[in-house]
Structure formats: structure tokens, C-alpha cells
């Protein structure tokens, strides 16, 4: 049974404008708003963030904070102040040695920056939880996603990662992605999220953590290896409450959607978490609008606990808006109301 229906939201400037948008969300059957807080919002609009969270609560919406695109380590189009302010602590290509425009989340510099970002918002804004949005290493993004090519290069080969690898395994970090490198990447990738989630629960044990990973096949032949593709390791993290997997383009086969949905629910159940599936509420829309109801029904039938969509108004007015953004938003809203029996 679906207990929460979420929509993401970028409009973190004026409380009275957010209020009007929150009312529109309520009319679209939304129960939970995922606030995409950018590094610029944190740096510049801080005074208004708690007021916006308060307003959402006043209107009966739950609020999760999404450190959207933070360090370009999380998914998202926003730019990163961390990268602007730091020439080091970046992910490094194993094959070319180039520094890349992605924060290395295994460095103490980024780990401290990220933890401070989240704990400050937890104390000041008092949300209901946090949403870890597609965390990832820069490379590879393999054919499992059906969005990229086969990858040879990988990250992170920065001095911090190399030293930590050698300290642990007793030999220099290889430039090939061996089994030790895979294990190292999975383990290290969870540290920053586990430590921050733990710190958040120490501030308020009721803060709920959703970890949303890329929706990948992770089969025998192909896997993304972006750090969070080992779903058992992610699901087993004791500080996460909801296991979530990301958006699949409407044009992809239904079997693929169903396979991801089943495996998402299975991992969530195995580790005693709630499960969440995402719908594409921006950029692309289904050829046949009835597909939205069909995929929602498949998620319900498979036992998904929560539905979420990116983003408010179908991305209307942005470069990632769906062709009929407002109709997509309305269609998702109709389905949210339907599954909640509203
Ligand atoms: Zn690194």
C-alpha cells in the first residue's frame, strides 16, 4: 500500500510563493515534498529555508531535504560551491590522472563539508528527514543504465583514495578495476552517507533517511559500478530507513521497470526498510498517458511503499521540462490521489 507520495521542489526563495506551490501540491495528492537544497541556497537563502519547511508542515506536508547535486557527487543540474572553492579533493581518473569536476567524497574535506551542510539544516530547519539523491562516483556509467557506453576508465584515483587503499590492502592501488578496487569503492562510498546519517539521528532519532540509488540491472554481465550498485551493501546500512531506486525513462520496456521494482522491494524487505520507486515527472512523457496509471499500478501490485516523482510541474520552464509538462504533472497528481483514495 502506498503511504507517501512525493514531489521534488526547487523553489526555495520566498515563503509566500512556496506556500502557493505547496497548496498546488496538496491538490495533486502530494504528501511529502523533497526540497532540493543547493549549495547556493545553503550559502545565500539560509534564513528562508526553515520558514519554508515550517510552511510545508503547517499545510500538512512532510519534508525531506535533498542535498541536490552537492559536490556534483549527488545527481542534479546545480553547480557546486565546494568545487568552486576547492581545487583539490576532486575525483581523479584512474587512466589519465586528470582531476574531474566531482568532489571526492572519500576525502575528509568533502566529508566534513557535507556533514556540516546536513547537520546545520537539520538543526535550523527541522525537516522530517533527508534524501540521498543518486550518489555516485564519476565513472563508469556502463551499459546497464542504457544511457551510456561501456566504460574502461573509473574513479577515484586521488591521493587520498590511493593512500587509503594501500594502507588497507598493503599494495598500491591498481589502475584496473579489480575485485579489491570494487570492494574498496563500495565500502568507502558508504562511509560519508553512513557517518552523516548517524550524525543526523544523533540530533533527532526521528529524522528519516532515504537512500536513492541508480536503477541498474546489476546482472552477471553488466553493472554500473558507480559505488552504490551493490544493493545489499546499501540495504544493510543501519542508518537508512527507506531503500529507493531512481527514475526510468517512460520509453524503456515495461519488463525493465518491473524488474527494477521487484528487486527494489526485495532488498527493502530483506533489510527491514521501506521501499520507494520513482516516476519520471520531467523531461520525457509517455506516448500514451495511460502508461502512468499502469506503472503506478505495477508498483502497487509489487508492494512498493512509496511513490515519488521528479519534479514539481513536470519541470515547466526549465531545460528539462517535459514537452507537456503541466499535463504530466496533472497526470501524476491524478494517480497520486487515486492510490491514496483521495
Ligand atoms: Zn578520491
Amino acid at each position: 500500500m502506498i503511504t507517501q507520495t512525493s514531489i521534488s521542489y526547487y523553489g526555495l526563495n520566498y515563503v509566500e510563493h512556496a506556500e502557493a506551490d505547496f497548496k498546488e501540491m496538496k491538490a495533486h495528492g502530494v504528501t511529502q515534498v523533497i526540497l532540493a537544497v543547493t549549495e547556493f541556497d545553503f550559502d545565500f537563502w539560509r534564513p528562508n529555508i526553515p520558514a519554508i519547511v515550517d510552511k510545508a508542515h503547517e499545510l500538512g506536508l512532510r519534508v525531506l531535504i535533498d542535498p541536490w547535486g552537492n559536490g556534483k557527487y549527488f545527481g542534479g543540474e546545480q553547480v557546486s560551491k565546494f568545487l568552486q572553492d576547492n581545487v583539490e579533493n576532486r575525483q581523479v581518473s584512474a587512466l589519465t590522472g586528470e582531476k574531474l569536476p566531482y568532489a571526492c567524497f572519500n576525502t575528509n574535506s568533502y566529508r566534513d563539508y557535507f556533514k556540516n551542510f546536513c547537520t546545520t539544516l537539520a538543526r535550523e530547519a527541522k525537516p522530517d528527514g533527508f534524501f540521498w539523491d543518486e550518489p555516485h562516483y564519476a565513472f563508469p556509467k556502463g551499459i546497464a543504465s542504457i544511457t551510456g557506453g561501456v566504460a574502461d576508465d573509473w574513479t577515484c584515483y586521488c591521493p587520498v583514495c590511493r593512500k587509503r587503499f594501500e594502507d588497507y590492502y598493503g599494495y598500491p592501488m591498481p589502475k584496473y578495476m579489480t575485485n579489491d578496487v570494487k570492494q574498496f569503492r563500495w565500502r568507502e562510498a558508504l562511509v560519508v552517507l553512513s557517518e552523516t546519517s548517524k550524525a543526523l539521528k544523533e540530533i533527532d532519532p526521528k529524522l528519516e533517511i532515504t537512500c536513492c540509488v541508480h536503477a541498474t540491472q546489476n546482472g552477471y554481465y553488466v553493472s554500473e559500478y558507480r559505488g552504490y550498485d551493490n544493493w545489499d551493501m546499501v540495504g544493510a546500512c543501519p542508518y537508512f530507513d527507506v531503500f529507493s531506486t531512481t527514475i526510468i525513462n517512460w520509453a524503456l520496456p515495461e519488463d525493465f521497470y518491473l524488474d527494477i521494482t521487484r528487486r527494489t522491494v526485495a532488498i527493502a524487505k530483506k533489510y527491514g526498510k521501506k521501499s520507494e520507486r520513482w516516476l519520471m515527472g520531467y523531461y520525457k512523457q509517455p506516448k500514451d498517458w495511460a502508461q502512468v496509471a499502469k506503472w503506478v499500478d505495477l508498483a502497487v501490485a509489487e508492494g512498493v511503499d512509496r511513490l515519488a516523482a521528479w519534479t514539481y510541474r513536470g519541470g515547466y520552464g526549465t531545460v528539462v521540462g517535459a514537452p507537456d509538462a503541466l499535463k504530466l504533472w496533472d497526470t501524476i497528481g491524478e494517480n497520486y490521489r487515486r492510490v491514496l483514495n483521495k
Side-chain angles (χ1 to χ4, degrees), residues 89-92 103-107 137 155-162 164 173 184:
N89 301 298
R90 289 170 181 236
Q91 292 187 43
V92 170
C104 176
F105 45 87
N106 299 334
T107 62
Y137 286 101
T155 55
C156 178
Y157 204 71
C158 80
V160 172
C161 286
R162 280 160 60 191
R164 193 169 292 144
M173 195 179 207
F184 176 82

Short mmCIF file of all heavy atoms in Angstrom, two decimals, residues 89-92 103-107 137 155-162 164 173 184, ligand 1:
data_model
loop_
_atom_site.label_atom_id
_atom_site.label_comp_id
_atom_site.label_asym_id
_atom_site.label_seq_id
_atom_site.Cartn_x
_atom_site.Cartn_y
_atom_site.Cartn_z
N ASN A 89 40.81 17.71 -3.63
CA ASN A 89 39.69 16.90 -3.12
C ASN A 89 38.67 16.61 -4.21
O ASN A 89 37.46 16.55 -3.96
CB ASN A 89 39.02 17.59 -1.93
CG ASN A 89 40.01 17.81 -0.80
OD1 ASN A 89 40.55 16.85 -0.27
ND2 ASN A 89 40.30 19.04 -0.49
N ARG A 90 39.17 16.47 -5.42
CA ARG A 90 38.30 16.09 -6.55
C ARG A 90 38.55 14.65 -6.93
O ARG A 90 39.63 14.10 -6.67
CB ARG A 90 38.63 16.96 -7.77
CG ARG A 90 38.18 18.37 -7.55
CD ARG A 90 38.69 19.31 -8.61
NE ARG A 90 38.19 20.63 -8.26
CZ ARG A 90 37.46 21.40 -9.06
NH1 ARG A 90 37.21 21.02 -10.28
NH2 ARG A 90 37.01 22.55 -8.65
N GLN A 91 37.56 14.06 -7.56
CA GLN A 91 37.76 12.71 -8.08
C GLN A 91 38.77 12.77 -9.23
O GLN A 91 38.82 13.74 -9.99
CB GLN A 91 36.44 12.11 -8.55
CG GLN A 91 35.48 11.84 -7.39
CD GLN A 91 34.24 11.09 -7.83
OE1 GLN A 91 34.29 10.15 -8.61
NE2 GLN A 91 33.09 11.53 -7.31
N VAL A 92 39.58 11.72 -9.30
CA VAL A 92 40.65 11.67 -10.29
C VAL A 92 40.47 10.41 -11.15
O VAL A 92 40.16 9.33 -10.64
CB VAL A 92 42.03 11.65 -9.58
CG1 VAL A 92 43.16 11.34 -10.55
CG2 VAL A 92 42.28 12.99 -8.87
N ALA A 103 33.41 16.18 -6.57
CA ALA A 103 34.09 16.11 -5.28
C ALA A 103 34.41 14.65 -4.96
O ALA A 103 33.59 13.77 -5.24
CB ALA A 103 33.20 16.68 -4.19
N CYS A 104 35.61 14.40 -4.40
CA CYS A 104 35.88 13.05 -3.91
C CYS A 104 35.29 12.94 -2.52
O CYS A 104 35.78 13.57 -1.58
CB CYS A 104 37.36 12.71 -3.88
SG CYS A 104 37.57 11.06 -3.14
N PHE A 105 34.24 12.14 -2.40
CA PHE A 105 33.51 12.01 -1.13
C PHE A 105 34.23 11.11 -0.15
O PHE A 105 33.73 10.86 0.94
CB PHE A 105 32.08 11.52 -1.39
CG PHE A 105 31.99 10.38 -2.37
CD1 PHE A 105 32.13 9.08 -1.93
CD2 PHE A 105 31.79 10.61 -3.72
CE1 PHE A 105 32.05 8.02 -2.82
CE2 PHE A 105 31.73 9.56 -4.62
CZ PHE A 105 31.85 8.26 -4.18
N ASN A 106 35.41 10.63 -0.53
CA ASN A 106 36.23 9.85 0.40
C ASN A 106 37.26 10.72 1.10
O ASN A 106 38.00 10.23 1.95
CB ASN A 106 36.92 8.69 -0.33
CG ASN A 106 35.91 7.74 -0.95
OD1 ASN A 106 34.78 7.64 -0.47
ND2 ASN A 106 36.31 7.05 -2.00
N THR A 107 37.33 12.00 0.74
CA THR A 107 38.28 12.90 1.41
C THR A 107 37.62 13.47 2.67
O THR A 107 36.40 13.69 2.69
CB THR A 107 38.69 14.08 0.50
OG1 THR A 107 37.52 14.85 0.17
CG2 THR A 107 39.33 13.58 -0.80
N TYR A 137 30.18 7.75 -7.94
CA TYR A 137 31.50 8.07 -8.50
C TYR A 137 31.26 8.61 -9.91
O TYR A 137 30.26 8.27 -10.57
CB TYR A 137 32.37 6.82 -8.60
CG TYR A 137 32.91 6.31 -7.27
CD1 TYR A 137 32.32 5.23 -6.63
CD2 TYR A 137 34.04 6.89 -6.69
CE1 TYR A 137 32.82 4.75 -5.43
CE2 TYR A 137 34.55 6.41 -5.48
CZ TYR A 137 33.93 5.34 -4.86
OH TYR A 137 34.42 4.85 -3.67
N THR A 155 36.87 6.16 -11.41
CA THR A 155 37.38 6.99 -10.33
C THR A 155 37.09 6.24 -9.03
O THR A 155 36.23 5.34 -9.03
CB THR A 155 36.65 8.34 -10.28
OG1 THR A 155 35.24 8.10 -10.18
CG2 THR A 155 36.94 9.19 -11.52
N CYS A 156 37.79 6.50 -7.96
CA CYS A 156 38.62 7.68 -7.79
C CYS A 156 40.05 7.24 -7.50
O CYS A 156 40.28 6.39 -6.65
CB CYS A 156 38.06 8.52 -6.64
SG CYS A 156 39.05 9.99 -6.30
N TYR A 157 40.98 7.89 -8.21
CA TYR A 157 42.40 7.58 -8.09
C TYR A 157 43.14 8.78 -7.49
O TYR A 157 44.28 9.06 -7.81
CB TYR A 157 42.94 7.22 -9.48
CG TYR A 157 44.19 6.36 -9.48
CD1 TYR A 157 44.13 5.02 -9.10
CD2 TYR A 157 45.41 6.88 -9.88
CE1 TYR A 157 45.28 4.23 -9.11
CE2 TYR A 157 46.56 6.10 -9.90
CZ TYR A 157 46.48 4.77 -9.52
OH TYR A 157 47.62 3.98 -9.54
N CYS A 158 42.44 9.51 -6.61
CA CYS A 158 43.06 10.69 -5.99
C CYS A 158 44.05 10.23 -4.92
O CYS A 158 44.03 9.07 -4.50
CB CYS A 158 41.99 11.61 -5.40
SG CYS A 158 41.36 11.09 -3.77
N PRO A 159 44.92 11.13 -4.46
CA PRO A 159 45.92 10.73 -3.46
C PRO A 159 45.30 10.15 -2.19
O PRO A 159 45.85 9.21 -1.60
CB PRO A 159 46.66 12.04 -3.16
CG PRO A 159 46.43 12.91 -4.35
CD PRO A 159 45.08 12.53 -4.90
N VAL A 160 44.16 10.68 -1.77
CA VAL A 160 43.52 10.19 -0.54
C VAL A 160 43.04 8.75 -0.74
O VAL A 160 43.28 7.88 0.11
CB VAL A 160 42.35 11.12 -0.12
CG1 VAL A 160 41.55 10.53 1.03
CG2 VAL A 160 42.88 12.51 0.24
N CYS A 161 42.35 8.49 -1.84
CA CYS A 161 41.85 7.14 -2.10
C CYS A 161 43.01 6.16 -2.26
O CYS A 161 42.97 5.03 -1.75
CB CYS A 161 40.97 7.12 -3.35
SG CYS A 161 39.35 7.89 -3.07
N ARG A 162 44.06 6.59 -2.97
CA ARG A 162 45.19 5.67 -3.21
C ARG A 162 45.89 5.30 -1.90
O ARG A 162 46.24 4.16 -1.67
CB ARG A 162 46.19 6.30 -4.18
CG ARG A 162 45.73 6.15 -5.62
CD ARG A 162 46.39 7.14 -6.55
NE ARG A 162 47.84 7.00 -6.57
CZ ARG A 162 48.66 7.88 -7.15
NH1 ARG A 162 48.15 8.95 -7.74
NH2 ARG A 162 49.94 7.69 -7.13
N ARG A 164 44.57 5.39 1.12
CA ARG A 164 43.69 4.56 1.96
C ARG A 164 43.65 3.11 1.43
O ARG A 164 43.64 2.17 2.21
CB ARG A 164 42.28 5.16 1.99
CG ARG A 164 41.42 4.54 3.08
CD ARG A 164 40.13 5.31 3.31
NE ARG A 164 40.39 6.62 3.87
CZ ARG A 164 39.70 7.73 3.58
NH1 ARG A 164 38.71 7.67 2.71
NH2 ARG A 164 39.99 8.87 4.13
N MET A 173 47.33 0.92 -5.22
CA MET A 173 46.03 0.79 -5.87
C MET A 173 46.23 0.53 -7.37
O MET A 173 46.93 1.28 -8.05
CB MET A 173 45.25 2.09 -5.68
CG MET A 173 43.79 1.98 -6.00
SD MET A 173 43.00 3.60 -5.71
CE MET A 173 41.35 3.09 -5.34
N PHE A 184 36.69 -1.90 -2.31
CA PHE A 184 37.14 -0.65 -1.70
C PHE A 184 36.18 0.49 -2.03
O PHE A 184 35.77 1.27 -1.16
CB PHE A 184 38.55 -0.31 -2.22
CG PHE A 184 39.08 1.01 -1.75
CD1 PHE A 184 39.66 1.14 -0.49
CD2 PHE A 184 39.00 2.14 -2.57
CE1 PHE A 184 40.15 2.37 -0.06
CE2 PHE A 184 39.48 3.38 -2.14
CZ PHE A 184 40.06 3.49 -0.89
ZN1 LIG B 1 39.35 10.04 -4.11
#
